[in-house]
């Protein structure tokens, strides 16, 4: 190969990427990534209302992993602070919505008038089907 056919040293590398050579080997914290995954899964589960209990559990696990991910992101060579914060926010939302849903269902079930109204509606629907 001749010197003319070889690319110039640093060609194809932008000025912004040259200044961050130390971050080239930084890895995203696994705890932060799992916090985001558990947060999204927990939020989707809670929003289905049928799997709200599962979403509550996933949200709690996501909160724990989010805190661990934030602590790990402080270490040199480890990134993932934003991912960890995102997972933490989604997990907290999943837990809050799950607790609100559980409180609403508990209140509804303990209200005799509401249960009687629901039973009346179910009976009317059964009569229509017959």
């Amino acid at each position: 190969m001749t010197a003319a056919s070889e690319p110039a040293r640093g060609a194809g590398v932008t000025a912004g990427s040259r200044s961050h050579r130390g971050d080239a080997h930084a890895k995203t914290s696994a705890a932060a990534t799992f916090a985001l995954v558990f947060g999204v899964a927990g939020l989707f589960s809670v929003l289905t209302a049928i799997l709200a209990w599962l979403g509550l559990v996933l949200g709690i696990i996501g909160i724990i992993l989010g805190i661990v991910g934030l602590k790990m992101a402080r270490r040199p060579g480890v990134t993932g602070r934003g991912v960890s914060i995102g997972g933490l926010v989604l997990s907290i939302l999943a837990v809050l919505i799950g607790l609100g849903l559980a409180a609403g269902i508990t209140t509804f079930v303990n209200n005799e008038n509401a249960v009687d109204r629901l039973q009346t509606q179910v009976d009317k629907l059964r009569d229509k089907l017959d």
Side-chain angles (χ1 to χ4, degrees):
M1 285 192 150
T2 63
S5 65
E6 293 178 13
R9 188 174 194 152
V13 179
T14 61
S17 64
R18 278 190 231 147
S19 64
H20 297 293
R21 279 191 187 162
D23 293 338
H25 298 293
K27 296 193 178 208
T28 303
S29 167
T33 305
F34 281 119
L36 186 63
V37 170
F38 276 90
V40 169
L43 193 58
F44 280 135
S45 297
V46 166
L47 292 176
T48 62
I50 295 172
L51 298 174
W53 61 272
L54 178 64
L56 193 60
V57 172
L58 291 174
I60 292 170
I61 294 170
I63 289 172
I64 294 168
L65 289 172
I67 292 169
V68 170
L70 279 175
K71 289 185 179 185
M72 289 180 73
R74 292 183 188 162
R75 295 181 181 173
V78 179
T79 62
R81 184 173 188 269
V83 175
S84 185
I85 290 172
L88 200 55
V89 167
L90 291 176
S91 297
I92 289 171
L93 277 174
V95 169
L96 290 177
I97 293 171
L99 289 175
L101 189 61
I105 289 172
T106 303
T107 303
F108 179 78
V109 170
N110 287 331
N111 186 351
E112 289 183 29
N113 292 332
V115 174
D116 290 340
R117 284 193 308 259
L118 183 62
Q119 185 63 40
T120 304
Q121 297 252 341
V122 170
D123 290 340
K124 285 181 182 178
L125 288 173
R126 283 186 185 161
D127 290 341
K128 285 183 181 179
L129 289 175
D130 290 336

